[in-house]
Amino acid sequence: MGKITGFMEFERQEEGHLEPADRVKNYKEFVLTLSDGQAKVQGARCMDCGIPFCNTGCPVNNMIPDWNDLVYHGNYRAAVENLHSTNNFPEFTGRICPAPCESACTLGINDDPVGIKSIERKISDAGWEHGWIVPEPAAIKTGKKVAVVGSGPAGLAAAQQLARAGHAVTVFEKSDRIGGLLRYGIPDFKMEKGLIDRRVEQMQAEGVIFRTGVLIGKDFPATVSNMARDTIFPEDLEKEFDAVVLAGGAEQPRDLPVPGRELKGVHFAMDFLPQQNRVNAGDKLKDQIKATGKHVVVIGGGDTGSDCVGTSNRHGAASVTQFELMPQPPELENKPLVWPYWPTRLRTSSSHEEGCERDWAVATKRLEGKGGKVERLIACRVEWKDGKMVEVANSEFELKADLVFLAMGFVSPVQNVLDAFGVQKDARGNARASTEGDKSYQTSSSKVFAAGDMRRGQSLVVWAIREGRQCARAVDEFLMGSSVLPR
């Protein structure tokens, strides 16, 4: 690779970023893309390791050593082409993917891994800057029509691949803008939404039709955001199109069944985060949930909880506390034991750095308040014995809480949608569809396919892109008998 001894000569270099005091003043991205010189040095650290485990650590199987080498030699145009051969939207993953590829890096066994994610972002940003990323419309149209339900990363990846195969693709989205959870789940300070808009423009030039504000199905639950103005019944969709791809998110949130849950000021995270994204886009909301001057408690230690922390800090919260039910993980993993797999270890996000009290092994017992509004949260310490949670005796304590955000993950896709299509479900409530064999990604209804969170449950953006691409190939084979799309 690039420089054979580079991994011995150069240290890992992180992307620069604005200081917390500056970045909490607005909702703009604050991570600084590597310079050409920094990217060259980082690419030089990629080893000639023989078996690049990073390729398989990456869900879309990016050819990481190849484009690291191209960046080292300054051949960015070839790097852009190589990266897009496996990933439709590297500017998304280069910003919000947790980078399982870096956990699988061979150099990471006894040193800091190559900064793969930062190089990916550098390549994709260079592609847009130089005008190398352009529409790729199909030369020949097949006459087949495909409906894609959901415009998150799985739906967008499937739609783009199918359009490039020559099919007429229509994407249906119940929200008022395209992007799914990319648009209304990821804060702008992690990924600005202009990145989605320019991809939508590219896909429109490739022939994809986008229809927003359209709900596919009926009897939608009140616990999930729905901006739809129109409704189309699944049976009508199946009549009009030759194939249907279900690519919605795992949007059904996990609730907290404790006394006081009904008090005002207790919200699901996805009631809170999308509102700020809409305000940033210019929408005027009458009843926006604001954390300004309030004591905020975030229940759930994952990325969604972290996003609530960052948004609350930008609102000017009086205090922010985040706690997790599970014990605090170790600061460093046992690499010989877990490499090349994704390790369980303590992760501190940029939002945590901006100000947050964190606690672990804490369970909520009840919520209390006056006049129907939450004022405090009563919690206790817990410990885990033989896989079971046990309350620690005399450990109950109280937290002041004007706002409580429930960020404990998502249990499944919206069941009403799957039921409306009549597809079989697995034990977790996801659409049942295998990824192997002649009917990969195909549900129990022959014309209906499922990909991303709708099929696998709550997961990463990069997994959604992978499944969208693979599902597109399966649909193309179903419609045409064979496919030239990559799997």
Side-chain angles (χ1 to χ4, degrees):
M1 303 309 301
K3 186 170 187 180
I4 300 300
T5 58
F7 70 96
M8 295 187 290
E9 299 175 30
F10 305 118
E11 299 292 328
R12 175 184 170 101
Q13 183 163 358
E14 302 288 348
E15 292 169 307
H17 55 76
L18 301 181
E19 292 301 315
D22 295 324
R23 65 195 193 217
V24 297
K25 296 176 182 178
N26 56 58
Y27 295 88
K28 296 181 179 179
E29 291 183 8
F30 53 81
V31 176
L32 308 177
T33 304
L34 298 177
S35 67
D36 290 354
Q38 291 170 329
K40 178 182 177 69
V41 170
Q42 193 62 228
R45 297 186 72 238
C46 189
M47 306 169 65
D48 187 11
C49 60
I51 300 177
F53 287 90
C54 56
N55 287 8
T56 52
C58 171
V60 293
N61 302 128
N62 280 332
M63 293 178 283
I64 295 164
D66 299 68
W67 41 257
N68 280 344
D69 184 54
L70 290 167
V71 167
Y72 175 75
H73 287 99
N75 192 348
Y76 277 92
R77 183 154 196 168
V80 169
E81 294 175 359
N82 183 294
L83 182 52
H84 278 83
S85 70
T86 55
N87 185 353
N88 294 68
F89 314 118
E91 66 273 31
F92 301 167
T93 51
R95 285 168 167 80
I96 60 176
C97 180
C101 54
E102 293 188 11
S103 295
C105 175
T106 303
L107 182 57
I109 295 175
N110 61 354
D111 199 350
D112 291 329
V114 176
I116 299 168
K117 179 179 174 180
S118 62
I119 298 176
E120 180 178 32
R121 174 173 173 165
K122 172 67 176 179
I123 295 170
S124 58
D125 286 359
W128 287 104
E129 179 185 349
H130 292 285
W132 297 330
I133 301 174
V134 296
E136 301 177 26
I140 301 174
K141 302 297 184 181
T142 65
K144 301 292 186 179
K145 298 172 62 178
V146 182
V148 176
V149 181
S151 68
L156 291 178
Q160 185 166 61
Q161 293 296 96
L162 287 165
R164 289 176 176 179
H167 306 304
V169 181
T170 302
V171 176
F172 295 89
E173 170 58 54
K174 70 182 188 307
S175 296
D176 59 346
R177 297 179 176 91
I178 293 299
L181 290 177
L182 289 171
R183 174 78 63 178
Y184 286 130
I186 304 295
D188 289 356
F189 56 80
K190 289 174 68 174
M191 193 186 88
E192 294 180 10
K193 302 307 177 272
L195 302 175
I196 303 173
D197 297 334
R198 66 188 182 188
R199 278 297 181 183
V200 169
E201 292 176 2
Q202 179 197 35
M203 292 173 65
Q204 287 174 324
E206 293 171 347
V208 178
I209 297 172
F210 292 97
R211 292 186 58 184
T212 58
V214 179
L215 176 67
I216 307 300
K218 50 189 175 182
D219 302 325
F220 211 70
T223 53
V224 179
S225 174
N226 177 19
M227 305 178 196
R229 303 177 303 275
D230 300 316
T231 299
I232 297 178
F233 295 114
E235 53 267 30
D236 296 330
L237 204 68
E238 292 185 66
K239 288 178 183 178
E240 182 180 353
F241 292 88
D242 298 296
V244 177
V245 176
L246 301 181
E251 296 183 88
Q252 192 64 51
R254 181 173 284 107
D255 210 339
L256 183 68
V258 298
R261 166 64 180 89
E262 75 286 351
L263 292 171
K264 293 181 180 178
V266 183
H267 305 276
F268 287 118
M270 293 308 296
D271 292 334
F272 175 57
L273 296 174
Q275 287 189 347
Q276 188 57 55
N277 286 354
R278 291 181 63 191
V279 170
N280 293 347
D283 293 354
K284 298 185 182 299
L285 303 183
K286 293 181 179 179
D287 301 311
Q288 183 186 2
I289 302 167
K290 294 287 287 185
T292 310
K294 296 180 180 179
H295 297 281
V296 176
V297 177
V298 180
I299 303 176
D303 288 340
T304 303
S306 172
D307 294 342
C308 290
V309 170
T311 302
S312 296
N313 281 326
R314 281 160 178 75
H315 282 189
S319 69
V320 183
T321 303
Q322 181 184 25
F323 58 77
E324 164 64 47
L325 189 65
M326 301 302 292
Q328 181 175 345
E331 291 193 13
L332 295 175
E333 71 272 21
N334 185 339
K335 287 188 178 181
L337 180 65
V338 300
W339 182 89
Y341 301 108
W342 180 251
T344 298
R345 60 175 172 82
L346 180 63
R347 290 178 169 83
T348 299
S349 73
S350 60
S351 293
H352 295 141
E353 294 171 352
E354 293 161 3
C356 175
E357 292 292 327
R358 303 169 74 187
D359 207 346
W360 289 265
V362 174
T364 304
K365 297 190 72 173
R366 61 188 181 277
L367 302 162
E368 298 178 348
K370 292 180 181 178
K373 187 175 181 180
V374 68
E375 293 183 337
R376 57 191 167 273
L377 180 148
I378 311 302
C380 66
R381 303 285 173 185
V382 297
E383 56 185 1
W384 295 82
K385 296 181 179 180
D386 299 324
K388 295 182 180 180
M389 185 181 72
V390 180
E391 180 178 344
V392 175
N394 303 315
S395 66
E396 189 172 295
F397 64 96
E398 178 180 310
L399 280 174
K400 185 171 178 57
D402 303 312
L403 272 179
V404 177
F405 294 126
L406 309 181
M408 303 171 293
F410 302 87
V411 295
S412 70
V414 176
Q415 298 298 286
N416 307 57
V417 175
L418 300 181
D419 293 340
F421 278 94
V423 301
Q424 293 180 1
K425 294 178 282 189
D426 63 19
R428 297 183 298 147
N430 305 318
R432 185 185 296 277
S434 172
T435 60
E436 305 296 334
D438 296 335
K439 297 184 177 181
S440 61
Y441 292 92
Q442 193 170 13
T443 70
S444 55
S445 178
S446 61
K447 289 177 64 174
V448 180
F449 295 73
D453 287 6
M454 192 74 81
R455 191 202 69 83
R456 66 181 291 118
Q458 179 188 359
S459 191
L460 304 175
V461 167
V462 69
W463 272 109
I465 294 173
R466 171 196 173 100
E467 294 223 343
R469 289 171 60 88
Q470 291 189 337
C471 182
R473 178 183 172 90
V475 172
D476 192 32
E477 290 177 335
F478 170 76
L479 296 175
M480 307 302 294
S482 62
S483 178
V484 296
L485 290 175
R487 178 170 169 77

Coordinates of all heavy atoms in Angstrom, one line a residue, residues 254-320:
R254 N -39.5 2.3 22.1 CA -39.7 1.6 23.4 C -40.2 2.6 24.4 O -39.6 3.6 24.7 CB -38.4 0.9 23.8 CG -38.5 0.1 25.0 CD -37.2 -0.7 25.3 NE -37.1 -1.8 24.5 CZ -36.2 -1.9 23.4 NH1 -35.4 -0.9 23.2 NH2 -36.2 -3.0 22.7
D255 N -41.3 2.2 25.1 CA -41.9 3.1 26.1 C -41.4 2.8 27.5 O -40.7 1.8 27.7 CB -43.4 3.0 26.0 CG -44.2 4.3 26.4 OD1 -43.5 5.1 27.1 OD2 -45.3 4.4 26.0
L256 N -41.8 3.6 28.4 CA -41.4 3.5 29.8 C -42.6 3.3 30.7 O -43.2 4.3 31.1 CB -40.5 4.7 30.3 CG -40.0 4.6 31.7 CD1 -38.9 3.5 31.8 CD2 -39.4 6.0 32.1
P257 N -43.0 2.1 31.0 CA -44.3 1.9 31.8 C -44.1 2.1 33.3 O -44.0 1.1 34.0 CB -44.7 0.5 31.4 CG -43.3 -0.2 31.2 CD -42.4 0.9 30.6
V258 N -44.0 3.3 33.7 CA -43.8 3.6 35.1 C -44.9 4.7 35.5 O -45.4 5.4 34.7 CB -42.4 4.2 35.5 CG1 -41.3 3.2 35.1 CG2 -42.2 5.5 34.7
P259 N -45.2 4.7 36.8 CA -46.2 5.8 37.3 C -45.7 7.2 36.9 O -44.5 7.5 37.1 CB -46.2 5.6 38.8 CG -45.8 4.1 39.0 CD -44.8 3.8 37.9
G260 N -46.6 8.0 36.5 CA -46.2 9.3 36.1 C -45.8 9.5 34.6 O -45.5 10.6 34.2
R261 N -45.8 8.4 33.8 CA -45.5 8.5 32.4 C -46.3 9.5 31.7 O -45.9 10.1 30.7 CB -45.6 7.1 31.8 CG -45.5 7.0 30.3 CD -44.2 7.5 29.7 NE -44.1 7.5 28.3 CZ -44.5 8.4 27.5 NH1 -45.0 9.6 28.0 NH2 -44.4 8.3 26.2
E262 N -47.6 9.7 32.1 CA -48.5 10.5 31.4 C -48.3 12.0 31.7 O -49.0 12.9 31.0 CB -50.0 10.2 31.9 CG -50.4 10.6 33.2 CD -49.8 9.8 34.4 OE1 -49.1 8.8 34.1 OE2 -49.9 10.2 35.6
L263 N -47.4 12.4 32.6 CA -47.2 13.8 32.9 C -46.7 14.6 31.7 O -45.9 14.1 30.9 CB -46.2 13.9 34.1 CG -46.7 13.4 35.4 CD1 -45.6 13.4 36.4 CD2 -47.9 14.3 36.0
K264 N -47.1 15.9 31.7 CA -46.6 16.7 30.6 C -45.1 16.9 30.8 O -44.6 17.1 32.0 CB -47.3 18.1 30.6 CG -48.8 18.0 30.2 CD -49.4 19.4 30.3 CE -50.9 19.3 29.9 NZ -51.5 20.6 30.0
G265 N -44.3 17.0 29.8 CA -42.9 17.2 29.8 C -42.1 15.9 29.7 O -40.9 15.9 29.6
V266 N -42.9 14.8 29.5 CA -42.3 13.5 29.2 C -42.5 13.1 27.8 O -43.7 13.0 27.3 CB -42.8 12.3 30.1 CG1 -42.1 11.0 29.9 CG2 -42.7 12.8 31.6
H267 N -41.4 13.0 27.0 CA -41.6 12.8 25.5 C -40.7 11.7 25.0 O -39.6 11.5 25.6 CB -41.2 14.1 24.8 CG -42.0 15.3 25.3 ND1 -43.2 15.7 24.8 CD2 -41.6 16.3 26.2 CE1 -43.6 16.8 25.4 NE2 -42.7 17.2 26.2
F268 N -41.1 11.1 23.9 CA -40.2 10.3 23.2 C -39.1 11.2 22.5 O -39.4 12.3 22.1 CB -40.9 9.5 22.1 CG -41.8 8.4 22.6 CD1 -43.2 8.4 22.4 CD2 -41.2 7.3 23.3 CE1 -43.9 7.3 22.9 CE2 -42.0 6.3 23.7 CZ -43.4 6.3 23.5
A269 N -37.9 10.6 22.4 CA -36.9 11.4 21.7 C -37.3 11.9 20.3 O -37.0 13.0 19.9 CB -35.6 10.6 21.6
M270 N -38.0 11.0 19.6 CA -38.4 11.4 18.3 C -39.6 12.3 18.2 O -40.1 12.6 17.1 CB -38.7 10.1 17.4 CG -37.4 9.3 17.2 SD -36.0 10.2 16.5 CE -36.8 10.7 14.9
D271 N -40.2 12.7 19.3 CA -41.1 13.9 19.4 C -40.3 15.2 19.4 O -40.7 16.2 18.9 CB -42.0 13.8 20.6 CG -43.0 12.7 20.6 OD1 -43.3 12.2 19.4 OD2 -43.4 12.2 21.6
F272 N -39.1 15.1 20.0 CA -38.2 16.2 20.2 C -37.3 16.6 19.1 O -37.2 17.7 18.6 CB -37.4 16.0 21.5 CG -36.4 17.0 21.9 CD1 -36.8 18.3 22.1 CD2 -35.1 16.6 22.1 CE1 -35.8 19.3 22.4 CE2 -34.1 17.6 22.5 CZ -34.5 18.9 22.6
L273 N -36.5 15.6 18.6 CA -35.4 15.8 17.6 C -36.0 16.3 16.3 O -35.4 17.3 15.7 CB -34.6 14.6 17.5 CG -33.8 14.1 18.7 CD1 -33.1 12.8 18.4 CD2 -32.8 15.2 19.1
P274 N -37.0 15.7 15.7 CA -37.5 16.2 14.4 C -38.0 17.6 14.4 O -37.9 18.3 13.4 CB -38.6 15.2 14.1 CG -38.4 14.0 14.9 CD -37.7 14.5 16.1
Q275 N -38.5 18.1 15.6 CA -39.0 19.4 15.6 C -37.9 20.4 15.4 O -38.1 21.4 14.6 CB -39.6 19.7 17.0 CG -41.0 19.1 17.2 CD -41.6 19.5 18.5 OE1 -41.0 20.2 19.3 NE2 -42.9 19.3 18.6
Q276 N -36.7 20.2 16.0 CA -35.6 21.2 15.8 C -35.1 21.1 14.3 O -34.8 22.2 13.8 CB -34.4 20.8 16.7 CG -33.3 21.9 16.7 CD -33.9 23.3 17.0 OE1 -34.5 23.5 18.1 NE2 -33.6 24.2 16.2
N277 N -35.1 20.0 13.7 CA -34.7 19.9 12.3 C -35.7 20.7 11.4 O -35.3 21.3 10.4 CB -34.6 18.4 11.8 CG -33.4 17.7 12.4 OD1 -32.6 18.3 13.0 ND2 -33.4 16.4 12.2
R278 N -37.0 20.6 11.8 CA -38.0 21.3 11.0 C -37.8 22.8 11.2 O -37.9 23.6 10.2 CB -39.4 20.9 11.4 CG -39.7 19.5 11.0 CD -41.2 19.2 11.5 NE -42.1 20.0 10.8 CZ -43.4 20.1 11.1 NH1 -43.9 19.4 12.1 NH2 -44.2 20.9 10.4
V279 N -37.5 23.3 12.4 CA -37.3 24.7 12.6 C -36.0 25.2 11.9 O -36.0 26.2 11.3 CB -37.1 25.0 14.2 CG1 -36.6 26.4 14.4 CG2 -38.4 24.7 14.9
N280 N -35.0 24.3 11.9 CA -33.8 24.7 11.1 C -34.0 24.8 9.6 O -33.3 25.5 8.9 CB -32.7 23.6 11.4 CG -32.2 23.6 12.8 OD1 -32.4 24.5 13.6 ND2 -31.5 22.6 13.2
A281 N -35.0 24.1 9.2 CA -35.4 24.1 7.7 C -36.3 25.3 7.4 O -36.6 25.5 6.2 CB -36.0 22.8 7.3
G282 N -36.7 26.1 8.4 CA -37.5 27.2 8.2 C -39.0 27.1 8.6 O -39.7 28.1 8.4
D283 N -39.4 25.9 9.1 CA -40.8 25.7 9.5 C -41.0 26.5 10.8 O -40.1 26.7 11.7 CB -41.1 24.3 9.8 CG -41.0 23.5 8.5 OD1 -40.9 24.1 7.4 OD2 -41.1 22.2 8.6
K284 N -42.2 27.0 10.9 CA -42.6 27.7 12.2 C -43.6 26.8 12.9 O -44.6 26.4 12.5 CB -43.3 29.0 11.8 CG -42.4 30.0 11.1 CD -43.1 31.4 10.9 CE -42.2 32.4 10.2 NZ -41.0 32.6 10.9
L285 N -43.1 26.4 14.1 CA -43.9 25.5 15.0 C -44.5 26.2 16.1 O -43.8 27.0 16.8 CB -43.0 24.3 15.5 CG -42.3 23.5 14.4 CD1 -41.5 22.4 15.1 CD2 -43.3 22.9 13.4
K286 N -45.8 26.0 16.4 CA -46.5 26.7 17.5 C -46.1 26.1 18.9 O -45.9 26.8 19.8 CB -48.0 26.5 17.3 CG -48.5 27.3 16.1 CD -50.0 27.2 16.1 CE -50.6 27.9 14.9 NZ -52.1 27.8 14.8
D287 N -45.9 24.8 18.9 CA -45.7 24.1 20.2 C -44.4 23.3 20.2 O -44.4 22.2 20.6 CB -46.9 23.2 20.6 CG -48.2 24.0 20.6 OD1 -48.2 25.0 21.3 OD2 -49.2 23.5 20.0
Q288 N -43.3 24.0 19.8 CA -42.0 23.3 19.9 C -41.6 22.9 21.3 O -41.7 23.8 22.2 CB -40.9 24.1 19.2 CG -39.6 23.4 19.1 CD -38.4 24.2 18.6 OE1 -38.6 25.4 18.3 NE2 -37.3 23.6 18.5
I289 N -41.1 21.7 21.5 CA -40.5 21.3 22.8 C -39.2 22.0 23.0 O -38.3 21.7 22.2 CB -40.4 19.8 22.9 CG1 -41.7 19.1 22.6 CG2 -39.8 19.4 24.2 CD1 -41.6 17.6 22.4
K290 N -39.1 22.9 23.9 CA -37.8 23.6 24.2 C -37.2 23.3 25.5 O -37.9 23.2 26.5 CB -38.1 25.1 24.1 CG -38.6 25.6 22.7 CD -37.4 25.7 21.7 CE -36.5 26.8 22.1 NZ -35.4 26.9 21.0
A291 N -35.9 23.1 25.5 CA -35.2 22.7 26.7 C -34.6 24.0 27.4 O -33.9 23.8 28.4 CB -34.1 21.7 26.4
T292 N -34.8 25.1 26.9 CA -34.2 26.4 27.4 C -34.5 26.6 28.8 O -35.7 26.6 29.3 CB -34.7 27.6 26.6 OG1 -34.6 27.3 25.2 CG2 -33.9 28.8 26.9
G293 N -33.4 26.7 29.6 CA -33.6 27.0 31.1 C -34.1 25.8 31.9 O -34.4 26.0 33.1
K294 N -34.2 24.6 31.3 CA -34.9 23.5 32.0 C -33.8 22.5 32.4 O -32.8 22.4 31.8 CB -35.9 22.9 31.1 CG -37.1 23.8 30.8 CD -38.1 23.2 29.9 CE -39.3 24.1 29.7 NZ -40.3 23.6 28.8
H295 N -34.2 21.7 33.4 CA -33.4 20.5 33.9 C -33.9 19.3 33.1 O -35.0 18.9 33.2 CB -33.6 20.3 35.4 CG -33.1 21.5 36.2 ND1 -31.7 21.7 36.4 CD2 -33.7 22.5 36.8 CE1 -31.6 22.7 37.2 NE2 -32.8 23.3 37.4
V296 N -33.0 18.8 32.2 CA -33.4 17.8 31.3 C -32.8 16.4 31.7 O -31.6 16.4 32.1 CB -32.8 18.1 29.9 CG1 -33.1 17.0 28.9 CG2 -33.4 19.4 29.4
V297 N -33.6 15.4 31.7 CA -33.1 14.0 31.9 C -33.4 13.2 30.7 O -34.5 13.2 30.2 CB -33.8 13.4 33.1 CG1 -33.4 12.0 33.3 CG2 -33.6 14.2 34.4
V298 N -32.3 12.6 30.2 CA -32.4 11.7 29.0 C -32.2 10.3 29.5 O -31.2 9.9 30.1 CB -31.3 12.0 28.0 CG1 -31.4 11.1 26.8 CG2 -31.4 13.5 27.6
I299 N -33.2 9.4 29.2 CA -33.2 8.0 29.6 C -32.8 7.2 28.4 O -33.6 7.1 27.4 CB -34.6 7.6 30.2 CG1 -35.0 8.5 31.4 CG2 -34.5 6.1 30.6 CD1 -36.3 8.1 31.9
G300 N -31.6 6.6 28.4 CA -31.1 5.8 27.3 C -29.8 6.3 26.9 O -29.6 7.5 26.7
G301 N -28.8 5.4 26.9 CA -27.4 5.8 26.7 C -26.8 5.7 25.3 O -25.6 5.8 25.1
G302 N -27.7 5.5 24.3 CA -27.2 5.3 22.9 C -27.1 6.6 22.2 O -27.2 7.7 22.7
D303 N -27.0 6.5 20.8 CA -26.8 7.7 20.0 C -28.0 8.6 20.0 O -27.9 9.8 20.0 CB -26.6 7.2 18.5 CG -25.2 6.6 18.3 OD1 -24.3 6.8 19.2 OD2 -25.0 5.9 17.3
T304 N -29.2 8.1 20.0 CA -30.4 8.9 20.1 C -30.4 9.8 21.3 O -30.8 11.0 21.3 CB -31.7 8.1 20.0 OG1 -31.7 7.3 18.8 CG2 -32.9 9.0 19.9
G305 N -30.1 9.1 22.5 CA -30.0 9.9 23.7 C -28.9 11.0 23.6 O -29.1 12.1 24.1
S306 N -27.8 10.6 23.0 CA -26.7 11.6 22.8 C -27.2 12.8 22.0 O -26.8 14.0 22.2 CB -25.5 11.0 22.2 OG -24.5 11.9 21.8
D307 N -28.0 12.5 21.0 CA -28.5 13.6 20.1 C -29.5 14.5 20.9 O -29.5 15.7 20.7 CB -29.3 13.0 18.9 CG -28.3 12.3 18.0 OD1 -27.1 12.5 18.0 OD2 -28.9 11.4 17.2
C308 N -30.2 13.9 21.8 CA -31.1 14.8 22.7 C -30.2 15.6 23.6 O -30.6 16.8 23.9 CB -31.9 13.9 23.6 SG -33.3 13.0 22.7
V309 N -29.1 15.1 24.1 CA -28.1 15.9 24.9 C -27.6 17.1 24.1 O -27.7 18.3 24.5 CB -27.0 15.0 25.4 CG1 -25.9 15.9 26.0 CG2 -27.4 14.0 26.3
G310 N -27.1 16.9 22.9 CA -26.6 17.9 22.1 C -27.6 19.0 21.7 O -27.3 20.2 21.7
T311 N -28.8 18.6 21.4 CA -29.9 19.5 21.0 C -30.3 20.3 22.3 O -30.5 21.5 22.2 CB -31.1 18.8 20.4 OG1 -30.7 18.0 19.3 CG2 -32.2 19.7 20.0
S312 N -30.4 19.7 23.4 CA -30.8 20.4 24.7 C -29.7 21.4 25.0 O -30.1 22.5 25.5 CB -30.9 19.4 25.8 OG -32.0 18.5 25.6
N313 N -28.5 21.1 24.8 CA -27.4 22.1 25.1 C -27.5 23.3 24.2 O -27.2 24.4 24.6 CB -26.0 21.4 25.0 CG -25.6 20.6 26.2 OD1 -26.0 20.9 27.3 ND2 -24.9 19.5 26.0
R314 N -27.9 23.1 22.9 CA -28.0 24.2 22.0 C -29.2 25.0 22.3 O -29.3 26.2 22.0 CB -28.1 23.6 20.6 CG -26.7 23.3 20.0 CD -26.7 22.3 18.9 NE -25.3 22.1 18.4 CZ -24.4 21.3 19.0 NH1 -24.8 20.7 20.1 NH2 -23.2 21.1 18.5
H315 N -30.2 24.4 23.0 CA -31.4 25.2 23.4 C -31.0 26.1 24.7 O -31.7 27.0 24.9 CB -32.5 24.3 23.9 CG -33.3 23.7 22.7 ND1 -34.4 23.0 22.8 CD2 -33.1 23.7 21.4 CE1 -34.9 22.6 21.7 NE2 -34.1 23.1 20.7
G316 N -30.0 25.7 25.4 CA -29.6 26.4 26.6 C -30.2 25.8 27.8 O -30.7 26.5 28.7
A317 N -30.2 24.5 27.9 CA -30.8 23.8 29.1 C -30.0 24.2 30.4 O -28.8 24.4 30.3 CB -30.7 22.3 28.9
A318 N -30.7 24.2 31.5 CA -30.0 24.5 32.8 C -29.1 23.4 33.2 O -28.0 23.6 33.7 CB -31.1 24.8 33.9
S319 N -29.5 22.2 32.9 CA -28.7 21.0 33.2 C -29.1 19.9 32.3 O -30.3 19.8 31.9 CB -28.7 20.6 34.7 OG -30.0 20.1 35.0
V320 N -28.2 18.9 32.0 CA -28.6 17.8 31.2 C -28.0 16.5 31.9 O -26.8 16.5 32.2 CB -28.1 17.8 29.8 CG1 -28.5 16.6 29.0 CG2 -28.6 19.1 29.1

